[in-house]
PDB file of all heavy atoms in Angstrom:
ATOM      1  N   GLN I   1       8.900  11.591  -5.401  1.00  0.00           N
ATOM      2  CA  GLN I   1       9.980  10.738  -5.612  1.00  0.00           C
ATOM      3  C   GLN I   1       9.668   9.474  -6.572  1.00  0.00           C
ATOM      4  O   GLN I   1      10.558   8.958  -7.108  1.00  0.00           O
ATOM      5  CB  GLN I   1      10.490  10.134  -4.258  1.00  0.00           C
ATOM      6  CG  GLN I   1      10.969  11.226  -3.360  1.00  0.00           C
ATOM      7  CD  GLN I   1      12.111  12.027  -3.941  1.00  0.00           C
ATOM      8  OE1 GLN I   1      12.937  11.696  -4.538  1.00  0.00           O
ATOM      9  NE2 GLN I   1      11.929  13.372  -3.683  1.00  0.00           N
ATOM     10  N   GLY I   2       8.436   9.073  -6.546  1.00  0.00           N
ATOM     11  CA  GLY I   2       7.992   7.894  -7.326  1.00  0.00           C
ATOM     12  C   GLY I   2       6.604   7.624  -7.010  1.00  0.00           C
ATOM     13  O   GLY I   2       5.802   8.324  -6.240  1.00  0.00           O
ATOM     14  N   GLU I   3       6.160   6.504  -7.525  1.00  0.00           N
ATOM     15  CA  GLU I   3       4.796   6.047  -7.413  1.00  0.00           C
ATOM     16  C   GLU I   3       4.352   5.703  -5.999  1.00  0.00           C
ATOM     17  O   GLU I   3       5.183   4.945  -5.251  1.00  0.00           O
ATOM     18  CB  GLU I   3       4.487   4.803  -8.283  1.00  0.00           C
ATOM     19  CG  GLU I   3       3.138   4.372  -8.464  1.00  0.00           C
ATOM     20  CD  GLU I   3       2.914   3.263  -9.346  1.00  0.00           C
ATOM     21  OE1 GLU I   3       3.831   2.524  -9.703  1.00  0.00           O
ATOM     22  OE2 GLU I   3       1.710   2.978  -9.782  1.00  0.00           O
ATOM     23  N   SER I   4       3.455   6.403  -5.463  1.00  0.00           N
ATOM     24  CA  SER I   4       3.233   6.334  -3.929  1.00  0.00           C
ATOM     25  C   SER I   4       1.701   5.972  -3.685  1.00  0.00           C
ATOM     26  O   SER I   4       0.818   6.340  -4.356  1.00  0.00           O
ATOM     27  CB  SER I   4       3.549   7.615  -3.267  1.00  0.00           C
ATOM     28  OG  SER I   4       4.896   7.883  -3.440  1.00  0.00           O
ATOM     29  N   PHE I   5       1.586   5.211  -2.626  1.00  0.00           N
ATOM     30  CA  PHE I   5       0.219   4.741  -2.156  1.00  0.00           C
ATOM     31  C   PHE I   5       0.071   4.988  -0.713  1.00  0.00           C
ATOM     32  O   PHE I   5       1.105   4.886  -0.010  1.00  0.00           O
ATOM     33  CB  PHE I   5      -0.076   3.301  -2.536  1.00  0.00           C
ATOM     34  CG  PHE I   5       0.145   2.940  -4.050  1.00  0.00           C
ATOM     35  CD1 PHE I   5       1.445   2.746  -4.519  1.00  0.00           C
ATOM     36  CD2 PHE I   5      -0.925   3.097  -4.814  1.00  0.00           C
ATOM     37  CE1 PHE I   5       1.515   2.396  -5.874  1.00  0.00           C
ATOM     38  CE2 PHE I   5      -0.822   2.790  -6.221  1.00  0.00           C
ATOM     39  CZ  PHE I   5       0.352   2.565  -6.825  1.00  0.00           C
ATOM     40  N   ALA I   6      -1.126   5.111  -0.239  1.00  0.00           N
ATOM     41  CA  ALA I   6      -1.367   5.316   1.265  1.00  0.00           C
ATOM     42  C   ALA I   6      -2.420   4.393   1.666  1.00  0.00           C
ATOM     43  O   ALA I   6      -3.344   4.043   0.917  1.00  0.00           O
ATOM     44  CB  ALA I   6      -1.821   6.681   1.463  1.00  0.00           C
ATOM     45  N   ALA I   7      -2.228   4.033   2.940  1.00  0.00           N
ATOM     46  CA  ALA I   7      -3.417   3.259   3.636  1.00  0.00           C
ATOM     47  C   ALA I   7      -3.655   4.031   4.866  1.00  0.00           C
ATOM     48  O   ALA I   7      -2.804   4.525   5.576  1.00  0.00           O
ATOM     49  CB  ALA I   7      -3.001   1.804   3.965  1.00  0.00           C
ATOM     50  N   THR I   8      -4.864   4.120   5.290  1.00  0.00           N
ATOM     51  CA  THR I   8      -5.271   4.810   6.555  1.00  0.00           C
ATOM     52  C   THR I   8      -6.279   3.908   7.225  1.00  0.00           C
ATOM     53  O   THR I   8      -7.056   3.290   6.654  1.00  0.00           O
ATOM     54  CB  THR I   8      -5.910   6.348   6.255  1.00  0.00           C
ATOM     55  OG1 THR I   8      -7.072   6.030   5.369  1.00  0.00           O
ATOM     56  CG2 THR I   8      -5.000   7.201   5.806  1.00  0.00           C
ATOM     57  N   GLU I   9      -6.231   3.978   8.598  1.00  0.00           N
ATOM     58  CA  GLU I   9      -7.086   3.034   9.477  1.00  0.00           C
ATOM     59  C   GLU I   9      -8.546   3.320   9.339  1.00  0.00           C
ATOM     60  O   GLU I   9      -9.412   2.530   9.211  1.00  0.00           O
ATOM     61  CB  GLU I   9      -6.694   3.218  10.895  1.00  0.00           C
ATOM     62  CG  GLU I   9      -5.211   2.524  11.115  1.00  0.00           C
ATOM     63  CD  GLU I   9      -4.872   2.660  12.585  1.00  0.00           C
ATOM     64  OE1 GLU I   9      -5.598   3.002  13.478  1.00  0.00           O
ATOM     65  OE2 GLU I   9      -3.598   2.477  12.994  1.00  0.00           O
ATOM     66  N   ASP I  10      -8.769   4.795   9.061  1.00  0.00           N
ATOM     67  CA  ASP I  10     -10.192   5.079   8.942  1.00  0.00           C
ATOM     68  C   ASP I  10     -10.605   5.332   7.407  1.00  0.00           C
ATOM     69  O   ASP I  10     -11.898   5.779   7.276  1.00  0.00           O
ATOM     70  CB  ASP I  10     -10.481   6.466   9.783  1.00  0.00           C
ATOM     71  CG  ASP I  10      -9.558   7.593   9.249  1.00  0.00           C
ATOM     72  OD1 ASP I  10      -8.981   7.325   8.190  1.00  0.00           O
ATOM     73  OD2 ASP I  10      -9.717   8.691   9.744  1.00  0.00           O
ATOM     74  N   GLY I  11      -9.773   4.973   6.576  1.00  0.00           N
ATOM     75  CA  GLY I  11     -10.236   5.130   5.199  1.00  0.00           C
ATOM     76  C   GLY I  11     -10.301   6.523   4.631  1.00  0.00           C
ATOM     77  O   GLY I  11     -10.691   6.706   3.448  1.00  0.00           O
ATOM     78  N   SER I  12      -9.783   7.456   5.340  1.00  0.00           N
ATOM     79  CA  SER I  12      -9.851   8.912   4.744  1.00  0.00           C
ATOM     80  C   SER I  12      -9.082   9.164   3.596  1.00  0.00           C
ATOM     81  O   SER I  12      -9.409  10.081   2.910  1.00  0.00           O
ATOM     82  CB  SER I  12      -9.705   9.896   6.017  1.00  0.00           C
ATOM     83  OG  SER I  12      -8.325   9.568   6.487  1.00  0.00           O
ATOM     84  N   VAL I  13      -7.935   8.471   3.434  1.00  0.00           N
ATOM     85  CA  VAL I  13      -6.998   8.658   2.338  1.00  0.00           C
ATOM     86  C   VAL I  13      -6.498   7.313   1.891  1.00  0.00           C
ATOM     87  O   VAL I  13      -6.197   6.472   2.673  1.00  0.00           O
ATOM     88  CB  VAL I  13      -5.778   9.519   2.738  1.00  0.00           C
ATOM     89  CG1 VAL I  13      -4.804   9.575   1.536  1.00  0.00           C
ATOM     90  CG2 VAL I  13      -6.214  10.935   3.219  1.00  0.00           C
ATOM     91  N   GLY I  14      -6.609   7.084   0.546  1.00  0.00           N
ATOM     92  CA  GLY I  14      -6.146   5.832  -0.005  1.00  0.00           C
ATOM     93  C   GLY I  14      -6.908   4.685   0.358  1.00  0.00           C
ATOM     94  O   GLY I  14      -8.159   4.694   0.708  1.00  0.00           O
ATOM     95  N   THR I  15      -6.189   3.561   0.658  1.00  0.00           N
ATOM     96  CA  THR I  15      -6.906   2.231   1.044  1.00  0.00           C
ATOM     97  C   THR I  15      -7.300   2.352   2.516  1.00  0.00           C
ATOM     98  O   THR I  15      -6.594   2.735   3.446  1.00  0.00           O
ATOM     99  CB  THR I  15      -5.942   1.078   0.753  1.00  0.00           C
ATOM    100  OG1 THR I  15      -5.696   0.952  -0.591  1.00  0.00           O
ATOM    101  CG2 THR I  15      -6.648  -0.275   1.156  1.00  0.00           C
ATOM    102  N   LYS I  16      -8.577   1.774   2.894  1.00  0.00           N
ATOM    103  CA  LYS I  16      -8.911   1.707   4.230  1.00  0.00           C
ATOM    104  C   LYS I  16      -8.186   0.447   4.616  1.00  0.00           C
ATOM    105  O   LYS I  16      -8.470  -0.814   4.274  1.00  0.00           O
ATOM    106  CB  LYS I  16     -10.395   1.549   4.301  1.00  0.00           C
ATOM    107  CG  LYS I  16     -10.844   1.577   5.783  1.00  0.00           C
ATOM    108  CD  LYS I  16     -12.258   1.558   5.998  1.00  0.00           C
ATOM    109  CE  LYS I  16     -12.603   1.470   7.525  1.00  0.00           C
ATOM    110  NZ  LYS I  16     -14.079   1.562   7.783  1.00  0.00           N
ATOM    111  N   GLY I  17      -7.513   0.505   5.850  1.00  0.00           N
ATOM    112  CA  GLY I  17      -6.765  -0.579   6.387  1.00  0.00           C
ATOM    113  C   GLY I  17      -5.222  -0.322   6.547  1.00  0.00           C
ATOM    114  O   GLY I  17      -4.913   0.727   6.880  1.00  0.00           O
ATOM    115  N   ASN I  18      -4.487  -1.359   6.368  1.00  0.00           N
ATOM    116  CA  ASN I  18      -3.054  -1.240   6.577  1.00  0.00           C
ATOM    117  C   ASN I  18      -2.273  -1.312   5.293  1.00  0.00           C
ATOM    118  O   ASN I  18      -2.814  -1.476   4.143  1.00  0.00           O
ATOM    119  CB  ASN I  18      -2.608  -2.241   7.530  1.00  0.00           C
ATOM    120  CG  ASN I  18      -2.826  -3.712   7.121  1.00  0.00           C
ATOM    121  OD1 ASN I  18      -2.818  -4.033   5.911  1.00  0.00           O
ATOM    122  ND2 ASN I  18      -3.220  -4.615   7.935  1.00  0.00           N
ATOM    123  N   VAL I  19      -0.835  -1.280   5.322  1.00  0.00           N
ATOM    124  CA  VAL I  19      -0.053  -1.189   4.121  1.00  0.00           C
ATOM    125  C   VAL I  19      -0.202  -2.431   3.216  1.00  0.00           C
ATOM    126  O   VAL I  19      -0.249  -2.428   1.990  1.00  0.00           O
ATOM    127  CB  VAL I  19       1.391  -1.011   4.465  1.00  0.00           C
ATOM    128  CG1 VAL I  19       1.543   0.480   5.068  1.00  0.00           C
ATOM    129  CG2 VAL I  19       1.857  -1.973   5.450  1.00  0.00           C
ATOM    130  N   LEU I  20      -0.415  -3.646   3.821  1.00  0.00           N
ATOM    131  CA  LEU I  20      -0.697  -4.793   3.058  1.00  0.00           C
ATOM    132  C   LEU I  20      -1.959  -4.826   2.363  1.00  0.00           C
ATOM    133  O   LEU I  20      -2.052  -5.223   1.297  1.00  0.00           O
ATOM    134  CB  LEU I  20      -0.542  -6.031   3.996  1.00  0.00           C
ATOM    135  CG  LEU I  20       0.863  -6.602   4.388  1.00  0.00           C
ATOM    136  CD1 LEU I  20       0.848  -7.594   5.453  1.00  0.00           C
ATOM    137  CD2 LEU I  20       1.690  -6.968   3.133  1.00  0.00           C
ATOM    138  N   ASP I  21      -2.912  -4.166   2.954  1.00  0.00           N
ATOM    139  CA  ASP I  21      -4.245  -4.115   2.329  1.00  0.00           C
ATOM    140  C   ASP I  21      -4.067  -3.158   1.128  1.00  0.00           C
ATOM    141  O   ASP I  21      -4.614  -3.405   0.035  1.00  0.00           O
ATOM    142  CB  ASP I  21      -5.252  -3.439   3.211  1.00  0.00           C
ATOM    143  CG  ASP I  21      -5.716  -4.324   4.361  1.00  0.00           C
ATOM    144  OD1 ASP I  21      -5.742  -5.463   4.195  1.00  0.00           O
ATOM    145  OD2 ASP I  21      -5.978  -3.667   5.497  1.00  0.00           O
ATOM    146  N   ALA I  22      -3.306  -2.132   1.269  1.00  0.00           N
ATOM    147  CA  ALA I  22      -2.925  -1.301  -0.012  1.00  0.00           C
ATOM    148  C   ALA I  22      -2.191  -2.089  -1.092  1.00  0.00           C
ATOM    149  O   ALA I  22      -2.587  -1.855  -2.230  1.00  0.00           O
ATOM    150  CB  ALA I  22      -2.211   0.015   0.458  1.00  0.00           C
ATOM    151  N   ILE I  23      -1.215  -2.821  -0.723  1.00  0.00           N
ATOM    152  CA  ILE I  23      -0.439  -3.597  -1.612  1.00  0.00           C
ATOM    153  C   ILE I  23      -1.448  -4.551  -2.347  1.00  0.00           C
ATOM    154  O   ILE I  23      -1.369  -4.637  -3.702  1.00  0.00           O
ATOM    155  CB  ILE I  23       0.630  -4.328  -0.947  1.00  0.00           C
ATOM    156  CG1 ILE I  23       1.757  -3.443  -0.511  1.00  0.00           C
ATOM    157  CG2 ILE I  23       1.241  -5.572  -1.929  1.00  0.00           C
ATOM    158  CD1 ILE I  23       2.753  -3.954   0.396  1.00  0.00           C
ATOM    159  N   ARG I  24      -2.218  -5.162  -1.731  1.00  0.00           N
ATOM    160  CA  ARG I  24      -3.218  -6.225  -2.411  1.00  0.00           C
ATOM    161  C   ARG I  24      -4.254  -5.530  -3.174  1.00  0.00           C
ATOM    162  O   ARG I  24      -4.564  -5.897  -4.321  1.00  0.00           O
ATOM    163  CB  ARG I  24      -3.849  -6.963  -1.296  1.00  0.00           C
ATOM    164  CG  ARG I  24      -2.823  -7.883  -0.565  1.00  0.00           C
ATOM    165  CD  ARG I  24      -3.486  -8.839   0.544  1.00  0.00           C
ATOM    166  NE  ARG I  24      -2.459  -9.643   1.168  1.00  0.00           N
ATOM    167  CZ  ARG I  24      -2.138  -9.663   2.484  1.00  0.00           C
ATOM    168  NH1 ARG I  24      -2.770  -8.841   3.209  1.00  0.00           N
ATOM    169  NH2 ARG I  24      -1.334 -10.605   2.932  1.00  0.00           N
ATOM    170  N   GLU I  25      -4.895  -4.367  -2.762  1.00  0.00           N
ATOM    171  CA  GLU I  25      -5.874  -3.628  -3.416  1.00  0.00           C
ATOM    172  C   GLU I  25      -5.363  -3.092  -4.672  1.00  0.00           C
ATOM    173  O   GLU I  25      -5.995  -3.041  -5.788  1.00  0.00           O
ATOM    174  CB  GLU I  25      -6.490  -2.623  -2.558  1.00  0.00           C
ATOM    175  CG  GLU I  25      -7.471  -1.672  -3.321  1.00  0.00           C
ATOM    176  CD  GLU I  25      -8.064  -0.632  -2.243  1.00  0.00           C
ATOM    177  OE1 GLU I  25      -8.947  -0.889  -1.521  1.00  0.00           O
ATOM    178  OE2 GLU I  25      -7.590   0.393  -2.391  1.00  0.00           O
ATOM    179  N   GLN I  26      -4.108  -2.706  -4.618  1.00  0.00           N
ATOM    180  CA  GLN I  26      -3.516  -2.044  -5.898  1.00  0.00           C
ATOM    181  C   GLN I  26      -2.825  -3.032  -6.840  1.00  0.00           C
ATOM    182  O   GLN I  26      -2.387  -2.673  -7.862  1.00  0.00           O
ATOM    183  CB  GLN I  26      -2.511  -0.903  -5.538  1.00  0.00           C
ATOM    184  CG  GLN I  26      -3.162   0.181  -4.740  1.00  0.00           C
ATOM    185  CD  GLN I  26      -4.058   1.060  -5.528  1.00  0.00           C
ATOM    186  OE1 GLN I  26      -4.030   1.116  -6.736  1.00  0.00           O
ATOM    187  NE2 GLN I  26      -5.052   1.598  -4.901  1.00  0.00           N
ATOM    188  N   GLY I  27      -2.703  -4.304  -6.344  1.00  0.00           N
ATOM    189  CA  GLY I  27      -2.132  -5.305  -7.110  1.00  0.00           C
ATOM    190  C   GLY I  27      -0.574  -5.040  -7.311  1.00  0.00           C
ATOM    191  O   GLY I  27      -0.014  -5.405  -8.382  1.00  0.00           O
ATOM    192  N   LEU I  28       0.026  -4.559  -6.331  1.00  0.00           N
ATOM    193  CA  LEU I  28       1.507  -4.275  -6.382  1.00  0.00           C
ATOM    194  C   LEU I  28       2.370  -5.508  -6.146  1.00  0.00           C
ATOM    195  O   LEU I  28       2.101  -6.292  -5.569  1.00  0.00           O
ATOM    196  CB  LEU I  28       1.783  -3.169  -5.356  1.00  0.00           C
ATOM    197  CG  LEU I  28       0.938  -1.879  -5.216  1.00  0.00           C
ATOM    198  CD1 LEU I  28       1.336  -0.943  -4.225  1.00  0.00           C
ATOM    199  CD2 LEU I  28       0.905  -1.269  -6.601  1.00  0.00           C
ATOM    200  N   GLU I  29       3.467  -5.360  -6.959  1.00  0.00           N
ATOM    201  CA  GLU I  29       4.493  -6.481  -6.785  1.00  0.00           C
ATOM    202  C   GLU I  29       5.855  -5.850  -6.626  1.00  0.00           C
ATOM    203  O   GLU I  29       6.103  -4.826  -7.193  1.00  0.00           O
ATOM    204  CB  GLU I  29       4.426  -7.305  -8.046  1.00  0.00           C
ATOM    205  CG  GLU I  29       3.118  -8.122  -8.128  1.00  0.00           C
ATOM    206  CD  GLU I  29       3.028  -9.174  -9.257  1.00  0.00           C
ATOM    207  OE1 GLU I  29       3.895  -9.029 -10.116  1.00  0.00           O
ATOM    208  OE2 GLU I  29       2.068  -9.823  -9.428  1.00  0.00           O
ATOM    209  N   ALA I  30       6.801  -6.639  -5.916  1.00  0.00           N
ATOM    210  CA  ALA I  30       8.168  -6.174  -5.725  1.00  0.00           C
ATOM    211  C   ALA I  30       8.916  -7.395  -5.466  1.00  0.00           C
ATOM    212  O   ALA I  30       8.380  -8.464  -5.193  1.00  0.00           O
ATOM    213  CB  ALA I  30       8.248  -5.178  -4.684  1.00  0.00           C
ATOM    214  N   GLU I  31      10.229  -7.250  -5.371  1.00  0.00           N
ATOM    215  CA  GLU I  31      11.197  -8.392  -5.071  1.00  0.00           C
ATOM    216  C   GLU I  31      11.845  -8.110  -3.683  1.00  0.00           C
ATOM    217  O   GLU I  31      12.349  -9.085  -3.039  1.00  0.00           O
ATOM    218  CB  GLU I  31      12.269  -8.415  -6.041  1.00  0.00           C
ATOM    219  CG  GLU I  31      11.781  -8.609  -7.531  1.00  0.00           C
ATOM    220  CD  GLU I  31      12.991  -8.249  -8.534  1.00  0.00           C
ATOM    221  OE1 GLU I  31      13.028  -7.150  -8.911  1.00  0.00           O
ATOM    222  OE2 GLU I  31      13.697  -9.279  -8.904  1.00  0.00           O
ATOM    223  N   ILE I  32      11.751  -7.030  -3.033  1.00  0.00           N
ATOM    224  CA  ILE I  32      12.286  -6.723  -1.820  1.00  0.00           C
ATOM    225  C   ILE I  32      11.661  -5.675  -1.116  1.00  0.00           C
ATOM    226  O   ILE I  32      10.961  -4.749  -1.652  1.00  0.00           O
ATOM    227  CB  ILE I  32      13.912  -6.378  -1.998  1.00  0.00           C
ATOM    228  CG1 ILE I  32      14.546  -6.426  -0.649  1.00  0.00           C
ATOM    229  CG2 ILE I  32      13.978  -5.083  -2.680  1.00  0.00           C
ATOM    230  CD1 ILE I  32      16.149  -6.272  -0.737  1.00  0.00           C
ATOM    231  N   ILE I  33      11.624  -5.721   0.198  1.00  0.00           N
ATOM    232  CA  ILE I  33      10.897  -4.754   1.094  1.00  0.00           C
ATOM    233  C   ILE I  33      11.917  -4.038   1.936  1.00  0.00           C
ATOM    234  O   ILE I  33      12.802  -4.726   2.677  1.00  0.00           O
ATOM    235  CB  ILE I  33       9.867  -5.472   1.924  1.00  0.00           C
ATOM    236  CG1 ILE I  33       8.803  -6.167   1.214  1.00  0.00           C
ATOM    237  CG2 ILE I  33       9.213  -4.516   3.074  1.00  0.00           C
ATOM    238  CD1 ILE I  33       7.831  -7.055   1.985  1.00  0.00           C
ATOM    239  N   TYR I  34      11.799  -2.766   2.094  1.00  0.00           N
ATOM    240  CA  TYR I  34      12.576  -1.990   3.185  1.00  0.00           C
ATOM    241  C   TYR I  34      11.408  -1.228   3.904  1.00  0.00           C
ATOM    242  O   TYR I  34      10.545  -0.559   3.282  1.00  0.00           O
ATOM    243  CB  TYR I  34      13.479  -0.867   2.414  1.00  0.00           C
ATOM    244  CG  TYR I  34      14.515  -1.513   1.550  1.00  0.00           C
ATOM    245  CD1 TYR I  34      14.294  -1.376   0.095  1.00  0.00           C
ATOM    246  CD2 TYR I  34      15.553  -2.115   1.908  1.00  0.00           C
ATOM    247  CE1 TYR I  34      15.244  -1.876  -0.811  1.00  0.00           C
ATOM    248  CE2 TYR I  34      16.491  -2.763   1.059  1.00  0.00           C
ATOM    249  CZ  TYR I  34      16.275  -2.647  -0.219  1.00  0.00           C
ATOM    250  OH  TYR I  34      17.298  -3.097  -1.062  1.00  0.00           O
TER     251      TYR I  34
END
């Protein structure tokens, strides 16, 4: 559907940590959250 990122608690896929860790690690920006 579009650009996608993942966070996993154990670091097995994508960013290790939570969704905010992934947002910060990837330098993502937006105007609204759903």
Side-chain angles (χ1 to χ4, degrees):
Q1 302 305 315
E3 193 174 16
S4 300
F5 303 88
T8 50
E9 292 178 12
D10 63 1
S12 55
V13 178
T15 298
K16 182 176 183 178
N18 59 38
V19 291
L20 282 175
D21 294 324
I23 288 171
R24 294 179 177 119
E25 181 176 274
Q26 299 294 331
L28 306 180
E29 294 182 350
E31 300 167 271
I32 190 168
I33 295 171
Y34 304 106

